[in-house]
Amino acid sequence: MATAIAENVEIKQIGSLKGKGLFSKTAFKKGDVIFEEKPLVSCQFAWNELYKYKACEFCMQALETAEENSRRLTENKGITLPYPECCEVKPEEHAVCPQCQIEYCSAQCRDAAWAQYHRVLCLGMSREDQDHPINRLLEAWRNIHFPPETATIMLLAKMIATVKQAEDKDAVLGMFSSFVQNTVNEEEQIVHKLLGEQFQDPMELLWRLTSEALYEEAAQQWFTPEGFKSLFALIGRNGQGIGSSSISVWVRNCEALEHSTEEKEKVEEFIDQLYEQLDQVAGMFLNVEGSGLYQLQSACNHSCVPNAEITFPHNNHTLVLVAMETIEPEQEICISYLSECSLSRSRHSRQRVLKDNYLFSCNCPKCLSQADDPDVTSEEEMDDEEEEGEEERGTGDG
Ligand SMILES: [Zn+2]
Ligand SMILES: [Zn+2]
Ligand SMILES: [Zn+2]
């Protein structure tokens, strides 16, 4: 299951509300990899999947070639991408689950999913059967949580299935309980954020359907109404957005090609036009999207002047934390939970987004130095703030 190269960092208790933080055990230079980590579980979002963003069921790598992806998203079947060798998708390596035909980027991913959770979650011949308990749960979820998506009930299903399949169930339960737990009051706020104002009924429906589909004695504390809400709040609070896109990999590789100036301009123009078409038809929904639970990353506190950033260079769910500046041994490693855009705003605006989405007040050096700034947001900020929040802690590839 999940592995992390963690010898360069350690999680330590600190006096803050969150209670812990991630600290370096060695020195890092700007650009150094601090650690690389795979999630305990990850899952594509439900609408994203329904809308045919094809992804590996295990690692979320995009399965469409850049050209297929472009054709679907622009609704233009005539598009041909130059430099097809810049696309890294390898259909010949893809594999399917022999029972349910769900797709994977490789036989390794298929086997890893089967070993961890898919034996329980495999629908076999019932994949299209809308009355199957798992499909009913998924449909109920989609009807409750519309795009832009920020979570998925299937992450929770994978957690339960992981416990069900584990030989040492207590060890797995222990790993999940190491994530930030929430107070009752925080739980209400998180569930409210995920399920809307009237969350009581949808919450109960999800609890009932999840229990019907996946009840597990060893994890019975998750199946009481209160325990279920806590579990739900846990994924809401700790879920890290993941995105992958074969188009962006193709673009990155094209831009790195050695070309004559003339050829370079031609390629750039092509890419600009492609993005224009994508923007017109698919808008902001370009990526395979989902979320995952990461043990080390979830111990990273926020700072408005972060010294590290989350990246997904492999175009799958493997998270790589990279130093943005020199980090000394024993120094706390902080990331920004805010989008780049929110991060550039006034202290008041930043605090508001952090409070709404992550339930804390930031005391980072920048916020402290601006503590005397007036509590106002500029008009421009007021305008966009309505849409704000949903996309925080985003996919990190953009
Ligand atoms: Zn995969
Ligand atoms: Zn299967
Ligand atoms: Zn701050």
Side-chain angles (χ1 to χ4, degrees):
M1 193 157 167
T3 49
I5 306 164
E7 62 258 12
N8 295 330
V9 292
E10 62 186 330
I11 298 171
K12 282 203 247 178
Q13 288 304 123
I14 44 173
S16 84
L17 256 177
K18 197 171 169 183
K20 56 184 179 178
L22 195 76
F23 290 80
S24 64
K25 283 164 56 179
T26 176
F28 296 102
K29 296 187 307 294
K30 185 177 178 181
D32 281 353
V33 168
I34 300 171
F35 63 76
E36 189 164 317
E37 179 179 29
K38 292 192 194 314
L40 294 181
V41 280
S42 67
C43 192
Q44 187 181 3
F45 291 146
W47 285 99
N48 191 260
E49 186 183 356
L50 191 75
Y51 283 134
K52 303 206 180 329
Y53 290 76
K54 274 172 53 178
C56 173
E57 195 276 329
F58 185 72
C59 78
M60 284 189 53
Q61 185 164 113
L63 296 179
E64 287 173 304
T65 63
E67 189 167 273
E68 288 167 347
N69 198 199
S70 306
R71 287 177 177 177
R72 180 172 62 80
L73 291 177
T74 59
E75 293 171 4
N76 176 357
K77 293 196 167 39
I79 286 190
T80 307
L81 299 191
Y83 305 104
E85 68 278 13
C86 289
C87 175
E88 292 179 9
V89 177
K90 299 191 177 65
E92 67 279 9
E93 288 178 11
H94 293 177
V96 297
C97 167
Q99 332 298 334
C100 70
Q101 307 300 312
I102 212 162
E103 286 185 271
Y104 295 92
C105 72
S106 63
Q108 284 101 301
C109 276
R110 179 193 62 200
D111 298 346
W114 186 261
Q116 188 187 327
Y117 57 79
H118 189 65
R119 210 171 66 221
V120 166
L121 294 180
C122 181
L123 300 187
M125 306 288 276
S126 311
R127 210 172 142 198
E128 306 295 325
D129 175 3
Q130 292 315 307
D131 284 331
H132 189 286
I134 299 272
N135 282 334
R136 282 172 50 211
L137 175 63
L138 198 56
E139 202 198 339
W141 170 255
R142 279 197 303 262
N143 292 334
I144 292 167
H145 190 73
F146 293 100
E149 298 175 277
T150 56
T152 168
I153 195 73
M154 288 311 285
L155 197 61
L156 212 142
K158 282 189 181 179
M159 289 169 72
I160 299 167
T162 300
V163 174
K164 276 180 169 301
Q165 282 191 213
E167 270 174 45
D168 188 347
K169 296 185 180 4
D170 286 339
V172 173
L173 286 166
M175 269 194 290
F176 287 126
S177 65
S178 72
F179 285 92
V180 181
Q181 308 289 324
N182 303 286
T183 64
V184 172
N185 183 29
E186 287 169 341
E187 281 177 9
E188 296 274 315
Q189 290 183 55
I190 296 166
V191 172
H192 174 174
K193 188 98 196 156
L194 287 172
L195 301 182
E197 205 72 54
Q198 306 294 326
F199 60 79
Q200 219 59 36
D201 287 347
M203 192 78 225
E204 204 182 300
L205 177 67
L206 292 172
W207 167 66
R208 193 166 50 74
L209 292 174
T210 305
S211 304
E212 277 169 25
L214 292 162
Y215 181 77
E216 165 59 44
E217 192 70 38
Q220 51 175 296
Q221 69 270 31
W222 288 351
F223 290 93
T224 65
E226 285 310 309
F228 185 76
K229 193 155 87 180
S230 299
L231 190 61
F232 202 77
L234 184 151
I235 64 163
R237 176 109 179 227
N238 294 280
Q240 161 66 44
I242 304 167
S244 74
S245 153
S246 31
I247 295 177
S248 58
V249 172
W250 175 83
V251 167
R252 191 175 67 201
N253 290 339
C254 276
E255 285 171 348
L257 288 174
E258 301 277 333
H259 280 317
S260 65
T261 320
E262 195 190 341
E263 185 62 22
K264 242 189 161 64
E265 278 170 11
K266 246 172 72 184
V267 175
E268 273 166 23
E269 200 186 310
F270 183 89
I271 292 171
D272 284 348
Q273 278 174 7
L274 176 64
Y275 273 116
E276 229 163 82
Q277 287 186 52
L278 287 168
D279 192 47
Q280 277 163 20
V281 185
M284 62 189 281
F285 297 105
L286 297 181
N287 295 343
V288 167
E289 285 181 15
S291 70
L293 289 180
Y294 297 83
Q295 278 186 298
L296 288 175
Q297 170 270 342
S298 75
C300 261
N301 287 312
H302 164 87
S303 168
C304 302
V305 275
N307 54 12
E309 68 178 333
I310 289 171
T311 64
F312 291 95
H314 309 301
N315 202 37
N316 62 18
H317 68 188
T318 303
L319 180 153
V320 177
L321 194 73
V322 177
M324 293 169 76
E325 55 187 59
T326 304
I327 299 174
E328 305 296 342
E330 314 263 316
Q331 201 180 328
E332 184 173 5
I333 298 168
C334 290
I335 54 177
S336 166
Y337 296 176
L338 299 174
S339 65
E340 228 167 281
C341 177
S342 307
L343 197 58
S344 65
R345 293 178 174 176
S346 72
R347 184 192 65 96
H348 184 63
S349 298
R350 297 198 306 273
Q351 295 276 3
R352 220 168 79 178
V353 178
L354 289 168
K355 189 100 210 141
D356 284 357
N357 291 280
Y358 302 105
L359 319 175
F360 70 90
S361 304
C362 185
N363 288 315
C364 76
K366 188 173 175 185
C367 285
L368 289 177
S369 78
Q370 295 174 339
D372 295 331
D373 288 5
D375 283 352
V376 287
T377 46
S378 68
E379 266 172 48
E380 174 204 66
E381 285 174 346
M382 300 281 272
D383 284 345
D384 334 315
E385 261 178 31
E386 287 301 297
E387 316 137 42
E388 200 53 65
E390 297 297 340
E391 51 182 306
E392 301 305 337
R393 212 174 221 196
T395 52
D397 68 343

